[in-house]
């Protein structure tokens, strides 16, 4: 093995993802886990039953088709048409992936060459940095700053160089909860067209919006042919463990992403695909109730965090609240999160890990509200002891 480090240079700084680290800390200390974003209640019973039925009936127990089962690809295309008026051919313009995580990896590995630059909102979801690195490309952060966490169009324009290949956007945005407005998307789209850039858009929180409206950037003029849209069943249907995600894009883009996907996982888990096809066809009331429940939880957590002395920023989307811990006399979110379980039995995520410019996120800490009301109540009671 010699003296050469085992982990390749591109991943050398990545380490363990903060989500795994903090969830392990929650388990070890018996704390309430408001760190990693996963619901503590499973999704709809009929969707669970659909998975069991598929498994029992032997549907999907052997390798399903590479692009995903036709029933699911059709349901994804129908979902895009129903909610956004976007029309995709299920056979050539839809690809099923192992969660949005694989969709992100396959898209970036397929579309980037070493040396390309990718502009992404900072703070970024951690897998973006890792996948851009694995592709040998360079990430260029467009920082969303407190208190509004909105992208500055002039800053975006100034970051574009002849090496820029791709804009990686995320709306609703994890961890800040920013939902891009129609105007912001129009500015981004105009720049993408002007500079002939690809856009990869992570819309996994598309149904988790409060007051704001989610607009897929693919609906904007000139964008459908240059945009890879990514989503997942994990957040919308509260089955984060199933890892069923998808890509919608032009045939050329889907074909590129599929080429990478084939050699990452080959195919995605079969029986869950049948269940997610049914989930996507749930009536609109399902999506409305999901949103209403989460809005109540958001406000419960926001009020509790404010009462406990945090400065809490109201998210328009996702199931995360970003806070500033400065009013508590604290400075460093990483230290704060490491000691929080011992101090009051709650786990959170330090936003600093999502920044290249660590100072920009040093005092910010993220809490999730996709937990039962009683759990959130108990968490804020504990946090008040700080
Ligand atoms: N993108 C964002 C912004 C996320 O928060 C998550 C959550 N895990 C993912 C992608 C990954 O989704 P999945 O669990 O479907 O892989
Ligand atoms: N998306 C979730 C979060 O941001 C879970 C991430 C993960 O487990 N990789 O907390």
């Amino acid at each position: 093995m010699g003296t050469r480090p085992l982990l390749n240079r591109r991943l050398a700084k990545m380490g363990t993802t903060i989500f795994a680290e903090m969830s392990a800390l929650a388990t070890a200390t018996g704390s309430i886990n408001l760190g990693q974003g996963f619901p503590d209640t499973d999704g709809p019973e009929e969707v669970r039953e659909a998975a069991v039925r598929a498994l029992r009936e032997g549907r999907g127990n052997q390798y399903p088709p590479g692009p995903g089962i036709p029933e699911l690809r059709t349901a994804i295309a129908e979902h895009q048409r129903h909610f956004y008026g976007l029309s995709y051919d299920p056979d050539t313009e839809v690809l099923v992936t192992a969660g949005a995580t694989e969709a992100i990896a396959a898209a970036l590995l397929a579309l980037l060459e070493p040396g390309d630059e990718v502009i992404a909102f900072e703070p970024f979801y951690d897998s973006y940095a890792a996948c851009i690195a694995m592709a040998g490309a360079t990430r260029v952060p467009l920082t969303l700053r407190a208190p509004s966490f909105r992208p500055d169009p002039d800053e975006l324009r100034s970051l574009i160089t002849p090496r820029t290949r791709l804009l990686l956007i995320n709306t609703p945005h994890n961890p800040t909860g920013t939902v891009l407005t129609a105007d912001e998307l129009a500015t981004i789209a105009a720049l993408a067209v002007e500079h002939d850039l690809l856009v990869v858009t992570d819309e996994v929180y598309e149904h988790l919006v409060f007051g704001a409206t989610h607009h897929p950037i693919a609906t904007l003029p000139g964008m459908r042919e240059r945009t890879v849209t990514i989503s997942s069943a994990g957040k919308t249907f509260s089955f984060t463990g199933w890892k069923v995600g998808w890509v919608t894009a032009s045939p050329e883009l889907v074909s590129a992403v599929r080429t990478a996907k084939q050699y990452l996982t080959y195919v995605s888990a079969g029986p869950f695909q049948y269940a997610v096809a049914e989930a996507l066809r749930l009536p609109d009331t399902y999506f409305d109730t999901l949103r209403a429940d989460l809005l109540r939880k958001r406000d419960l957590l926001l009020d509790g965090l404010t009462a406990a002395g945090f400065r809490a920023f109201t998210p328009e989307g996702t199931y995360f609240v970003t806070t500033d811990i400065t009013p508590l006399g604290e400075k460093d979110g990483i230290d704060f999160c490491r000691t929080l379980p011992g101090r009051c039995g709650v786990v959170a995520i330090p936003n600093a890990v999502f920044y290249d410019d660590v100072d920009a996120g040093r005092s910010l800490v993220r809490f999730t509200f996709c937990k039962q009301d009683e759990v959130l109540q108990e968490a804020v009671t504990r946090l008040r002891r700080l």
Side-chain angles (χ1 to χ4, degrees), residues 35 51 105 126 131 181 242 291 309 312:
D126 66 350
C131 292
T181 63
W242 287 10
R291 241 191 319 269

Side-chain angles (χ1 to χ4, degrees), residues 19 35-37 125 174 205 235 320 366:
F19 304 114
Q36 188 175 26
Y125 181 59
N174 178 7
Y205 298 102
K235 321 290 165 185
F320 304 112
R366 188 195 85 175

Side-chain angles (χ1 to χ4, degrees), residues 271-325:
F272 294 133
Q273 294 190 42
Y274 289 93
V276 173
E278 294 198 22
L280 284 165
R281 296 200 173 102
L282 286 169
D284 285 355
T285 48
Y286 166 77
F287 300 88
D288 296 339
T289 308
L290 173 76
R291 241 191 319 269
D293 282 347
L294 279 170
L295 175 59
R296 186 188 65 249
K297 292 173 191 296
R298 179 195 76 169
D299 291 343
L300 197 166
L301 182 62
L302 272 174
D303 290 349
L305 288 168
T306 307
F310 292 82
R311 179 176 185 202
F313 302 100
T314 305
E316 299 175 310
T318 76
Y319 40 47
F320 304 112
V321 173
T322 285
T323 63
D324 192 328
I325 56 175

Side-chain angles (χ1 to χ4, degrees), residues 243-276:
K243 299 302 291 187
V244 176
W246 52 85
V247 163
T248 47
S250 68
E252 295 74 18
L253 286 168
V254 161
S255 161
V257 180
R258 190 176 58 228
T259 304
K261 187 241 150 63
Q262 285 180 116
Y263 300 108
L264 291 171
T265 55
Y266 181 53
V267 292
S268 311
F272 294 133
Q273 294 190 42
Y274 289 93
V276 173

Side-chain angles (χ1 to χ4, degrees), residues 130-305:
C131 292
I132 293 169
M134 285 192 269
T138 304
R139 64 179 181 274
V140 177
L142 173 62
T143 305
L144 309 180
R145 293 188 178 80
S148 70
F149 297 111
R150 309 225 66 96
D152 175 346
D154 294 328
E155 197 175 337
L156 172 56
R157 196 172 290 111
S158 75
L159 296 175
I160 298 173
T161 76
R163 286 189 300 280
T164 310
R165 173 67 169 159
L166 192 151
L167 305 178
L168 173 52
I169 68 173
N170 171 215
T171 183
H173 179 256
N174 178 7
T176 65
T178 295
V179 178
L180 296 180
T181 63
D183 280 352
E184 286 165 341
L185 288 163
T187 306
I188 296 169
L191 286 169
V193 171
E194 182 187 337
H195 295 273
D196 194 20
L197 306 176
L198 296 169
V199 173
V200 172
T201 173
D202 178 345
E203 303 184 1
V204 296
Y205 298 102
E206 60 187 315
H207 289 289
L208 281 49
V209 285
F210 318 108
T213 305
H214 170 69
H215 304 284
I217 197 167
T219 57
L220 275 76
M223 294 311 292
R224 192 188 182 285
E225 63 267 30
R226 62 179 70 250
T227 301
V228 174
T229 304
I230 293 171
S231 195
S232 157
K235 321 290 165 185
T236 302
F237 302 110
S238 299
F239 288 114
T240 60
W242 287 10
K243 299 302 291 187
V244 176
W246 52 85
V247 163
T248 47
S250 68
E252 295 74 18
L253 286 168
V254 161
S255 161
V257 180
R258 190 176 58 228
T259 304
K261 187 241 150 63
Q262 285 180 116
Y263 300 108
L264 291 171
T265 55
Y266 181 53
V267 292
S268 311
F272 294 133
Q273 294 190 42
Y274 289 93
V276 173
E278 294 198 22
L280 284 165
R281 296 200 173 102
L282 286 169
D284 285 355
T285 48
Y286 166 77
F287 300 88
D288 296 339
T289 308
L290 173 76
R291 241 191 319 269
D293 282 347
L294 279 170
L295 175 59
R296 186 188 65 249
K297 292 173 191 296
R298 179 195 76 169
D299 291 343
L300 197 166
L301 182 62
L302 272 174
D303 290 349
L305 288 168

